[in-house]
Amino acid sequence: MGEIGKIVQAPEELVAPVNVPAEAYVSPEYARAEVDRLWRKVWLQAGRVEDIPEVGDFITFDIVDDSVVIVRASETQIHAFHNVCPHRGRKLVDVPPGQRNARGNRRTLICGYHGWTFDLDGANTYVEHRDDWQGHLCAGRADLGKVRVETWGGWLWVTLDPQAMPLAEYLNPAATMLDPYGLQNMRPRWRKWVVFECNWKVAMEAFCETYHVSTTHPEFMEFGQFRGWARNQGLHSNIGYEAPKGQEEDSGKLRLGAGEDPRMTTADMQNFTWANANTNTTMTLVGVANRLKDELPEGTPAAEVSKYWIQTAKAEDAARGVVWAQVDPLHTAQAGTAWQIFPNFQIGHAVNNMLCYQARPYGTDPDKCIFEAAVYELWPEGEAPQTEWEYTEPADWPPVLQQDFANMAAVQQGMKNVGFRGAQPNPYMERSVASLHMNLAKFMGTGAPKTY
């Protein structure tokens, strides 16, 4: 393997091969240190704005020992509070057994221990026998602790650090590159979560590169041989595919099948994707793909098949009130197919749908995580389904994701092997892995990648 060189400190140094030590994945001490050094310092995606449409609607968000309750206080105001009563420390809102988080509607938050009551602005409105405190329950001592909350892309974002940079600055340049896709207009088609047997980083890294596709998902190679790339983007990173000339839109999620007859292979790929991944496409795209053999003559060049397929699907969606985002092909090529938002959220974007992953620690156990995936798309006004987070056992997820799960569990075990000498990500196709650990080290003070 050669001698390990200097610690990587700048994005341009990620172009070279690096070694990532296993400490961040398997060390119990590292997992405990993440609480103060990482999770209490960053912005975290905590839910969707549409989850709290009415005044009094709330959701909770947990990260290790910390819990936040997010409430809609008025038509224009959203507040977030530490989910803990300032009296004796009881959690204000409990998560129902087997649920990902709590969700409901209340005009007041009442502690179930002694009845202390708070309004939607977090102010204490009732304390039984308040006079016993001799006037000292003032100056906010009896109010809920506030948590910073902002919105972007249709998501609710929270940070436990009062001194954290503004969300817009934190998300740069990801937000700028993703804004044209109108992610806030999409609604979830399904949302699944599971407690999984791997570190949260192993889970995120299973989806932040395309190098694994030919081996883990060989079925997809029948439909195309697009080479993938990954790029550092400050705190964040993004990935994408090199598309053939004339098919620049295919560098996004609207993927044309390869083969002698692109009419047929496109339909094959769309049907396989819908049945086995249940994401990265829509029923409109699948339906038009299945008609290509009837609506285009045999021998139609691939670029023309791609153009017809996309334009026809776009027009059919527009007729039913679904308007795709208009994104310049050059922007599409730069934006790629997915962004990794530091530290633990991935947005797989397209002009009419998206696939998002998030992983959180399961307590401070380095060998477990809470893994989540959600598929979003555009819907006619008022027709989006009302989806809930569904706990789904690994064997019941779509088959393509089960293939990824097999890797995740095996990687977690393999990294504990005395013979494992650290990860060696592909400098071109897996640069997002090295980028994550370079940025993690800035917070954690350890575990930075090193060049050879």
Side-chain angles (χ1 to χ4, degrees):
M1 186 173 68
E3 294 295 322
I4 299 298
K6 65 185 182 71
I7 293 175
V8 172
Q9 296 180 330
E12 56 269 21
E13 296 172 353
L14 295 174
V15 176
V18 299
N19 178 278
V20 179
E23 173 192 21
Y25 303 97
V26 301
S27 166
E29 292 77 20
Y30 187 103
R32 287 192 291 269
E34 283 182 337
V35 176
D36 286 320
R37 297 182 188 177
L38 180 67
W39 303 118
R40 291 174 176 170
K41 297 296 183 183
V42 296
W43 282 95
L44 297 166
Q45 184 274 117
R48 290 288 290 181
V49 175
E50 62 263 21
D51 287 338
I52 50 171
E54 305 294 335
V55 175
D57 285 348
F58 71 88
I59 59 171
T60 60
F61 175 74
D62 293 353
I63 184 76
V64 195
D65 294 326
D66 295 308
S67 183
V68 177
V69 58
I70 305 167
V71 301
R72 179 169 291 282
S74 71
E75 291 185 4
T76 58
Q77 288 184 310
I78 295 173
H79 297 320
F81 308 104
H82 293 288
N83 186 15
V84 61
C85 181
H87 173 214
R88 294 272 300 280
R90 194 207 188 283
K91 209 172 190 179
L92 278 176
V93 181
D94 295 320
V95 176
Q99 297 297 307
R100 172 190 177 270
N101 63 298
R103 182 176 176 181
N105 183 285
R106 301 179 185 176
R107 292 307 175 108
T108 58
L109 298 173
I110 303 173
C111 179
Y113 197 2
H114 297 91
W116 282 32
T117 303
F118 311 87
D119 64 21
L120 298 183
D121 292 321
N124 186 296
T125 59
Y126 174 77
V127 173
E128 189 174 11
H129 305 303
R130 180 185 289 266
D131 291 344
D132 291 350
W133 275 264
Q134 303 162 41
H136 290 284
L137 289 183
C138 58
R141 290 190 184 94
D143 296 340
L144 296 181
K146 294 183 178 179
V147 174
R148 290 175 61 189
V149 58
E150 296 187 35
T151 63
W152 171 80
W155 285 285
L156 302 160
W157 300 79
V158 298
T159 179
L160 300 174
D161 183 4
Q163 306 305 316
M165 67 181 76
L167 179 64
E169 182 180 347
Y170 183 87
L171 290 176
N172 182 56
T176 301
M177 292 299 295
L178 291 172
D179 277 340
Y181 292 87
L183 308 182
Q184 69 278 3
N185 299 322
M186 300 184 191
R187 298 292 181 267
R189 180 162 59 82
W190 59 257
R191 299 192 275 189
K192 297 179 182 292
W193 70 288
V194 65
V195 176
F196 202 77
E197 304 295 324
C198 72
N199 189 272
W200 67 269
K201 301 171 213 63
V202 170
M204 295 308 300
E205 291 168 8
F207 302 95
C208 75
E209 46 86 1
T210 59
Y211 190 47
H212 73 285
V213 173
S214 62
T215 304
T216 301
H217 312 299
E219 304 91 343
F220 279 109
M221 303 313 291
E222 299 179 16
F223 307 114
Q225 300 289 327
F226 296 171
R227 176 167 160 80
W229 50 260
R231 299 169 184 152
N232 171 268
Q233 301 284 356
L235 268 181
H236 318 296
S237 62
N238 71 329
I239 60 176
Y241 290 93
E242 298 170 354
K245 185 175 177 59
Q247 297 172 225
E248 284 75 16
E249 284 189 88
D250 282 358
S251 61
K253 288 286 196 305
L254 306 177
R255 197 69 38 71
L256 184 73
E260 293 184 3
D261 189 341
R263 304 172 308 161
M264 305 298 292
T265 54
T266 297
D268 290 343
M269 183 178 186
Q270 287 294 299
N271 290 321
F272 178 86
T273 300
W274 185 266
N276 292 277
N278 199 11
T279 183
N280 291 345
T281 189
T282 67
M283 280 305 299
T284 303
L285 284 165
V286 174
V288 175
N290 284 325
R291 302 198 319 262
L292 291 174
K293 65 182 185 300
D294 301 318
E295 298 177 2
L296 293 175
E298 186 176 354
T300 302
E304 292 184 23
V305 172
S306 175
K307 182 178 180 179
Y308 177 86
W309 174 45
I310 293 171
Q311 289 185 347
T312 303
K314 184 185 298 184
E316 290 189 4
D317 265 354
R320 68 187 186 96
V322 172
V323 180
W324 297 10
Q326 300 295 313
V327 183
D328 185 272
L330 292 178
H331 186 97
T332 298
Q334 291 180 326
T337 60
W339 282 75
Q340 295 75 45
I341 307 300
F342 183 83
N344 68 325
F345 185 47
Q346 175 164 297
I347 303 170
H349 59 283
V351 294
N352 60 352
N353 73 95
M354 62 178 168
L355 166 62
C356 298
Y357 300 112
Q358 181 164 270
R360 294 174 284 149
Y362 186 75
T364 55
D365 185 345
D367 294 327
K368 289 186 177 182
C369 72
I370 300 168
F371 177 75
E372 306 168 352
V375 167
Y376 300 79
E377 63 180 78
L378 296 171
W379 304 86
E381 185 68 30
E383 294 185 18
Q386 298 299 310
T387 62
E388 300 289 346
W389 283 99
E390 175 190 358
Y391 187 89
T392 305
E393 294 294 341
D396 295 326
W397 285 65
V400 169
L401 289 173
Q402 291 183 43
Q403 294 172 328
D404 293 304
F405 288 172
N407 289 335
M408 289 154 57
V411 164
Q412 187 66 26
Q413 290 302 309
M415 285 189 171
K416 298 177 183 180
N417 191 311
V418 68
F420 182 63
R421 296 171 292 184
Q424 304 179 78
N426 182 310
Y428 183 73
M429 299 181 74
E430 297 180 295
R431 194 176 303 165
S432 49
V433 174
S435 174
L436 171 63
H437 288 270
M438 180 188 72
N439 284 310
L440 272 173
K442 295 176 182 177
F443 286 81
M444 299 297 297
T446 184
K450 293 183 179 181
T451 59
Y452 294 129

